[in-house]
């Protein structure tokens, strides 16, 4: 199934203004104080990294 994630940006550092999912060639601007949905296509089980533009803030999306 396609994936929909919601990001809520809770601070104003420029670092957190964009989230990047390199495996999906997808990124989104995150307005401060707002919830931003991000749609990703259906994909194989595995772990997919996401991060800010400078790769300082990071996370992992686990697909089972
Ligand atoms: Cu950053």
């Amino acid at each position: 199934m396609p994936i929909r994630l919601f990001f809520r940006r809770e601070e104003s550092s420029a670092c957190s203004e964009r989230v990047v999912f390199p495996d999906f060639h997808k990124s989104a601007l995150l307005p401060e104080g707002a919830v931003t949905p991000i749609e990703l296509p259906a994909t194989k089980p595995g772990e997919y990294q996401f991060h800010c533009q400078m790769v300082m803030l990071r996370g992992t999306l686990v697909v089972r």
Side-chain angles (χ1 to χ4, degrees):
M1 291 203 299
I3 298 163
R4 181 180 296 134
L5 300 171
F6 295 89
F7 281 78
R8 184 175 64 221
R9 182 176 173 202
E10 296 183 339
E11 48 91 63
S12 56
S13 142
C15 201
S16 60
E17 74 183 1
R18 181 177 291 273
V19 62
V20 181
F21 285 83
D23 298 313
F24 299 92
H25 305 289
K26 195 127 191 188
S27 74
L29 271 177
L30 304 177
E32 188 181 347
V35 175
T36 304
I38 296 178
E39 317 264 350
L40 301 172
T43 189
K44 292 184 296 187
E47 297 196 349
Y48 301 89
Q49 307 304 312
F50 59 90
H51 51 73
C52 71
Q53 294 181 87
M54 300 77 79
V55 199
M56 294 154 66
L57 302 172
R58 309 167 207 228
T60 304
L61 168 66
V62 180
V63 177
R64 296 194 170 125

